[in-house]
Amino acid sequence: MKALVDEGCNFLPSPTDPISLYKTHSLRWLAQIVCQIVKTVQLENEFKIEGIANLSDFSALVNELEALDPVSCAVHSDSRRSDGSVPHQLQPPDVVRFAKRLDGLLDLLDATTDALAATWNQLSGEEPFHAGGDFKPTIQ
């Protein structure tokens, strides 16, 4: 998500601070910016993959992932459940299903990052870009 935000923040009226982007670990914050970028560049119809039909599905999966926080569960003893169990997403066969959803998410983010780079190239003179309204790039 950081790569997508880095590539796409130029389309926003107020670009994301690079230091904040580098330091953040908040998937929800990054997801909010991704949604802003996708809406600004009008990629809502293309921002889908099996299991993620729209921006709401994307946000829901990111919220589920952040709430799960498997690294924290495994590393910090205070995050572990008292009975030693792990969240259902990490139990077989749920972990396989969840991993496939995450693979789809990574593919979607990768494809969108590439699309944003191509769109930015169009803006920089190769081809005209029409986003409608009073859209103006933040970097000229």
Side-chain angles (χ1 to χ4, degrees):
M1 275 196 285
K2 285 184 179 183
L4 191 151
V5 171
D6 186 47
E7 191 68 50
C9 72
N10 292 323
F11 295 99
L12 298 175
S14 299
T16 306
D17 174 53
I19 295 172
S20 298
L21 178 60
Y22 173 75
K23 288 185 173 188
T24 192
H25 296 284
S26 172
L27 297 177
R28 287 183 181 121
W29 181 72
L30 291 168
Q32 288 174 351
I33 298 170
V34 166
C35 290
Q36 289 173 6
I37 292 166
V38 167
K39 288 177 184 177
T40 299
V41 183
Q42 300 177 347
L43 291 175
E44 294 102 309
N45 292 333
E46 290 82 22
F47 194 79
K48 60 178 111 179
I49 199 163
E50 185 178 336
I52 301 173
N54 52 42
L55 290 173
S56 294
D57 289 350
F58 165 72
S59 294
L61 180 56
V62 170
N63 286 339
E64 183 180 350
L65 181 59
E66 185 150 291
L68 177 62
D69 195 4
V71 173
S72 179
C73 291
V75 175
H76 303 292
S77 60
D78 59 335
S79 298
R80 292 185 195 137
R81 295 181 179 181
S82 58
D83 64 0
S85 66
V86 296
H88 73 88
Q89 295 95 329
L90 297 178
Q91 296 177 358
D94 293 330
V95 72
V96 173
R97 203 171 310 124
F98 191 63
K100 286 181 181 179
R101 290 174 62 207
L102 294 179
D103 283 345
L105 174 64
L106 292 174
D107 290 343
L108 178 62
L109 293 171
D110 187 44
T112 305
T113 302
D114 290 345
L116 290 171
T119 301
W120 190 253
N121 287 341
Q122 289 176 343
L123 280 174
S124 55
E126 293 179 21
E127 295 179 37
F129 173 77
H130 304 285
D134 293 328
F135 178 83
K136 293 182 179 42
T138 55
I139 297 178
Q140 298 181 14

